[in-house]
Amino acid sequence: MDVINLLKQLISCRSLTPADAGSLDLISALLANSGFTVQRLPAGDVDNLWAYKGGETRLIFAGHVDVVPTGELSQWRYDPFTPTEEDGHLFGRGAADMKSGVAAMVVAAMNHPRDGVGVFLTSDEEGVAQYGTRHFTEWWQQQGKEPIPYAVVGEPSCEQILGDAIKIGRRGSLTGHVQIHGKQGHAAYAHHVDNPIHRLLAGFAPLAPHWHDNIAAQARGEMVTTFQVVDLQSGVGADNVTPPTANAVLNFRYAAPDTAASLKTKVSECLTHAAANAWECEWEHSAEPYCLPADSRLVHAMQKIVQTHTGQAPRLTTSGGVSDGRFLRHICSQVAEFGVLNSSIHAANENVKISDVRKLSDIYSALILDLV
């Protein structure tokens, strides 16, 4: 199976989360014909595919076939679900994130169907991610299966050129939905009102400087905690009335020594100082941080093989948002990510360099030969 032909077929599937739009049926047939045992693991409104060869799995390739919405079609040069070649690139929704990775791992597994190789694919990564890889890892543990030594996630990891980065971990993610209560009134009579916006700003003021220096450290590739206010809502629609409440959403991307508990405590201290007991916060903790040691077997193999096939010495990074590696780490001893460039993902005219996809499949093939 030619990897570009498979990628084109996958792009043609309108697999908007949580639909796989026939893509998993296509891959199931290909892997089954290559000697893999294929299981479908549906959960909720999501379908998942688990394919393996032989007994104990030693290396798993993992990815997702679902894609984000296209946005305004007028911004696209071509129909997002009609794969189109132009100047050595292939355009279409999911071309980079991450149907190129899926096509590359499936073809690599087909070309080297060794005992101990597994492929897991889901259609629930871009959405709430409750019934995809999370479901698979829970099922794995319930079955009493042994931990898998190595997992390679095919997310687009590179920044400028194929081979310039390998992701060896991700930071944790903690989101807080804050509401401050005050007293509505006429803006001209400040002594009669309790403006919750002022209290909200006072509560957040100590937070941003606490992690401000980490922004530069993050740019250098260090795994550090950063803080952002991502939404503010208040007001009653009149310019002479103070509001009764103020709402905000804050987000931490965090790393040790910070924890979700320590960050919640810090926010609580700041908001209590600014607003006494007139506040509340609902928390969403979507991921814990993890990081693979640079001297681990998987990282060593990936660095060597990526450099051989691309000529690049990849830097090791934990940048970006969360990925399904946050779930796989519970059943896999070593988890790392490597895929194509991420510069066009989730954007109009998403595209991938065709030669990069062929190299990516060769890299995955070499990992099979090295690790299994």
Coordinates of all heavy atoms in Angstrom, one line a residue, residues 286-318:
S286 N -7.5 18.4 33.3 CA -7.6 17.5 32.1 C -6.3 16.7 31.9 O -6.4 15.8 31.1 CB -7.9 18.3 30.8 OG -6.9 19.3 30.6
A287 N -5.2 17.1 32.5 CA -4.0 16.3 32.2 C -3.0 16.6 33.3 O -2.8 17.7 33.8 CB -3.4 16.7 30.9
E288 N -2.2 15.5 33.7 CA -1.1 15.6 34.6 C 0.2 15.7 33.7 O 0.2 15.1 32.6 CB -1.0 14.5 35.6 CG -2.2 14.4 36.5 CD -2.1 13.2 37.5 OE1 -1.3 12.3 37.2 OE2 -2.8 13.2 38.5
P289 N 1.2 16.3 34.2 CA 2.5 16.3 33.4 C 3.2 15.0 33.4 O 3.1 14.2 34.3 CB 3.3 17.4 34.1 CG 2.8 17.3 35.6 CD 1.4 17.0 35.5
Y290 N 3.9 14.8 32.3 CA 4.8 13.6 32.3 C 6.0 13.9 31.4 O 5.8 14.8 30.5 CB 4.1 12.4 31.7 CG 3.6 12.5 30.3 CD1 4.4 12.0 29.3 CD2 2.4 13.1 30.0 CE1 3.9 12.1 27.9 CE2 2.0 13.2 28.7 CZ 2.7 12.7 27.7 OH 2.3 12.8 26.4
C291 N 7.1 13.3 31.6 CA 8.3 13.6 30.8 C 9.2 12.4 30.8 O 9.5 11.8 31.8 CB 9.0 14.8 31.3 SG 10.4 15.3 30.2
L292 N 9.6 12.0 29.6 CA 10.5 10.8 29.4 C 11.9 11.2 29.6 O 12.4 12.2 29.0 CB 10.3 10.2 28.0 CG 10.8 8.8 27.7 CD1 10.2 7.8 28.7 CD2 10.5 8.5 26.3
P293 N 12.7 10.5 30.4 CA 14.1 10.9 30.5 C 14.8 10.9 29.2 O 14.6 10.0 28.3 CB 14.7 9.8 31.4 CG 13.5 9.3 32.2 CD 12.3 9.4 31.2
A294 N 15.7 11.8 29.0 CA 16.4 12.0 27.7 C 17.3 10.8 27.3 O 17.6 10.5 26.2 CB 17.3 13.2 27.7
D295 N 17.7 10.0 28.4 CA 18.6 8.9 28.1 C 17.8 7.5 28.0 O 18.4 6.5 28.1 CB 19.6 8.7 29.2 CG 19.1 8.6 30.6 OD1 17.8 8.7 30.7 OD2 19.8 8.4 31.6
S296 N 16.5 7.6 27.9 CA 15.7 6.4 27.8 C 15.9 5.7 26.4 O 16.3 6.3 25.4 CB 14.2 6.7 28.0 OG 13.8 7.5 26.9
R297 N 15.6 4.4 26.4 CA 15.8 3.6 25.2 C 15.0 4.1 24.0 O 15.5 4.2 22.9 CB 15.4 2.1 25.5 CG 15.4 1.2 24.3 CD 16.8 0.8 24.0 NE 16.8 -0.2 22.9 CZ 16.8 0.0 21.6 NH1 16.7 1.3 21.2 NH2 16.8 -1.0 20.7
L298 N 13.8 4.5 24.2 CA 12.9 5.0 23.1 C 13.5 6.3 22.6 O 13.6 6.5 21.4 CB 11.5 5.2 23.6 CG 10.5 5.7 22.6 CD1 10.4 4.8 21.4 CD2 9.1 5.9 23.2
V299 N 13.8 7.2 23.4 CA 14.4 8.5 23.0 C 15.7 8.3 22.2 O 15.9 8.9 21.1 CB 14.6 9.5 24.2 CG1 15.3 10.7 23.7 CG2 13.3 9.9 24.8
H300 N 16.5 7.4 22.7 CA 17.8 7.2 22.0 C 17.5 6.6 20.6 O 18.2 7.1 19.6 CB 18.6 6.2 22.8 CG 19.9 5.8 22.1 ND1 21.0 6.6 22.0 CD2 20.2 4.6 21.5 CE1 22.0 6.0 21.4 NE2 21.5 4.8 21.0
A301 N 16.6 5.7 20.5 CA 16.3 5.1 19.2 C 15.7 6.1 18.3 O 16.1 6.2 17.1 CB 15.4 3.9 19.4
M302 N 14.8 6.9 18.8 CA 14.1 7.9 17.9 C 15.1 9.0 17.4 O 15.1 9.4 16.3 CB 13.0 8.6 18.6 CG 11.8 7.6 18.9 SD 10.4 8.4 19.8 CE 9.7 9.3 18.5
Q303 N 16.0 9.4 18.3 CA 17.0 10.4 17.9 C 17.9 9.9 16.8 O 18.1 10.6 15.8 CB 17.8 10.8 19.1 CG 17.1 11.8 20.1 CD 18.0 12.1 21.3 OE1 18.6 11.3 21.9 NE2 18.2 13.4 21.5
K304 N 18.3 8.7 17.0 CA 19.3 8.1 16.0 C 18.6 7.9 14.7 O 19.1 8.2 13.6 CB 19.7 6.7 16.5 CG 20.6 5.9 15.6 CD 20.9 4.6 16.1 CE 19.7 3.7 16.2 NZ 20.0 2.3 16.7
I305 N 17.4 7.3 14.7 CA 16.7 7.0 13.4 C 16.2 8.3 12.7 O 16.3 8.4 11.5 CB 15.5 6.1 13.7 CG1 16.0 4.7 14.1 CG2 14.5 5.9 12.5 CD1 15.0 3.7 14.7
V306 N 15.7 9.2 13.5 CA 15.2 10.5 12.9 C 16.4 11.2 12.2 O 16.3 11.7 11.1 CB 14.6 11.4 13.9 CG1 14.4 12.8 13.4 CG2 13.2 10.8 14.3
Q307 N 17.6 11.3 12.9 CA 18.7 11.9 12.3 C 19.2 11.2 11.0 O 19.6 11.8 10.0 CB 19.9 12.0 13.3 CG 21.0 12.8 12.8 CD 22.0 13.3 13.9 OE1 21.8 12.9 15.0 NE2 22.9 14.1 13.6
T308 N 19.1 9.9 11.0 CA 19.5 9.1 9.9 C 18.7 9.4 8.7 O 19.1 9.5 7.5 CB 19.5 7.6 10.2 OG1 20.4 7.3 11.2 CG2 19.8 6.7 8.9
H309 N 17.4 9.5 8.9 CA 16.4 9.7 7.8 C 16.2 11.1 7.3 O 15.7 11.4 6.2 CB 15.1 9.0 8.1 CG 15.1 7.5 8.0 ND1 15.6 6.8 9.0 CD2 14.7 6.7 7.0 CE1 15.5 5.5 8.7 NE2 15.0 5.4 7.5
T310 N 16.5 12.1 8.2 CA 16.2 13.5 7.9 C 17.5 14.4 7.9 O 17.4 15.5 7.4 CB 15.2 14.1 8.9 OG1 15.9 14.2 10.2 CG2 14.0 13.3 9.0
G311 N 18.5 13.9 8.5 CA 19.7 14.7 8.6 C 19.7 15.8 9.7 O 20.6 16.6 9.8
Q312 N 18.6 15.8 10.5 CA 18.4 16.7 11.6 C 18.7 16.1 12.9 O 18.5 14.9 13.1 CB 17.0 17.2 11.6 CG 16.5 17.9 10.3 CD 17.3 19.1 10.0 OE1 17.4 20.0 10.9 NE2 17.7 19.3 8.8
A313 N 19.3 16.9 13.8 CA 19.5 16.4 15.2 C 18.3 17.0 16.0 O 18.3 18.1 16.4 CB 20.8 17.0 15.7
P314 N 17.3 16.1 16.2 CA 16.1 16.6 16.8 C 16.3 17.1 18.3 O 17.0 16.5 19.1 CB 15.1 15.4 16.8 CG 16.0 14.3 16.7 CD 17.3 14.7 16.0
R315 N 15.7 18.3 18.6 CA 15.7 18.7 20.0 C 14.5 18.0 20.7 O 13.5 17.6 20.1 CB 15.5 20.2 20.1 CG 14.2 20.8 19.6 CD 14.2 22.3 19.6 NE 12.9 22.9 19.2 CZ 12.0 23.2 20.0 NH1 12.1 23.0 21.3 NH2 10.8 23.7 19.5
L316 N 14.7 17.8 22.0 CA 13.7 17.2 22.8 C 12.8 18.3 23.5 O 13.4 19.2 24.1 CB 14.4 16.3 23.9 CG 15.3 15.2 23.3 CD1 15.9 14.4 24.4 CD2 14.7 14.3 22.3
T317 N 11.5 18.1 23.4 CA 10.7 19.2 23.8 C 9.4 18.7 24.5 O 9.0 17.5 24.2 CB 10.3 20.1 22.6 OG1 9.4 21.2 23.1 CG2 9.6 19.4 21.5
T318 N 8.8 19.5 25.3 CA 7.5 19.2 25.9 C 6.4 20.2 25.5 O 5.4 20.4 26.2 CB 7.6 19.0 27.4 OG1 8.1 20.3 27.9 CG2 8.5 17.9 27.8

